Amino acid sequence: QVQLVESGGGLVQPGGSLRLSCAASGSIFSIYGMGWYRQAPGKQRELVAAITSGGSTNYRDSVKGRFTISRDNAKNTTYLQMNSLKPEDTAVYYCAASRLGVAFWGQGTQVTVSS
């Protein structure tokens, strides 16, 4: 079992930045692949960025060059640095930990990009 707690969401103006954090507990963090997902009202949840246990990353096209996912295994924490935010980035952002087909989810944190 892995427990995940996201933080760092909020209201930001277009062009601004936020850094989301996902703190994990309950298992060996370093062996899990980590991902950030988001879900906007009326839309399906989508993968934003992912990082493997070995540190390889991938991003959805719409956030490439603006978002950066990272992990600190010593702190059991995954981060999502979001720059140049756009109104279409508005959503609830979820952290997920996965391994061997099993996934654990956090409760989500709201990100609102609006002037």
Side-chain angles (χ1 to χ4, degrees):
Q1 284 279 0
V2 179
Q3 292 79 45
L4 303 170
V5 179
E6 301 100 331
S7 61
L11 173 64
V12 63
Q13 292 186 341
S17 298
L18 283 175
R19 187 175 82 154
L20 305 183
S21 298
C22 173
S25 61
S27 188
I28 304 172
F29 175 75
S30 62
I31 67 174
Y32 286 86
M34 300 299 297
W36 285 97
Y37 293 73
R38 66 187 180 189
Q39 187 166 19
K43 295 188 176 181
Q44 289 188 332
R45 190 172 297 189
E46 60 186 21
L47 176 65
V48 176
I51 185 166
T52 67
S53 58
S56 298
T57 59
N58 68 281
Y59 300 89
R60 69 181 304 105
D61 287 346
S62 61
V63 307
K64 284 180 180 177
R66 300 188 298 123
F67 290 12
T68 303
I69 189 171
S70 61
R71 64 190 299 161
D72 185 337
N73 290 338
K75 295 183 177 180
N76 288 358
T77 302
T78 300
Y79 304 97
L80 184 68
Q81 177 67 44
M82 305 186 294
N83 299 326
S84 302
L85 282 160
K86 304 175 181 181
E88 52 264 42
D89 295 317
T90 295
V92 178
Y93 283 70
Y94 298 90
C95 172
S98 61
R99 183 172 184 267
L100 300 178
V102 178
F104 302 92
W105 294 87
Q107 82 289 349
T109 185
Q110 177 70 47
V111 172
T112 302
V113 185
S114 175
S115 55

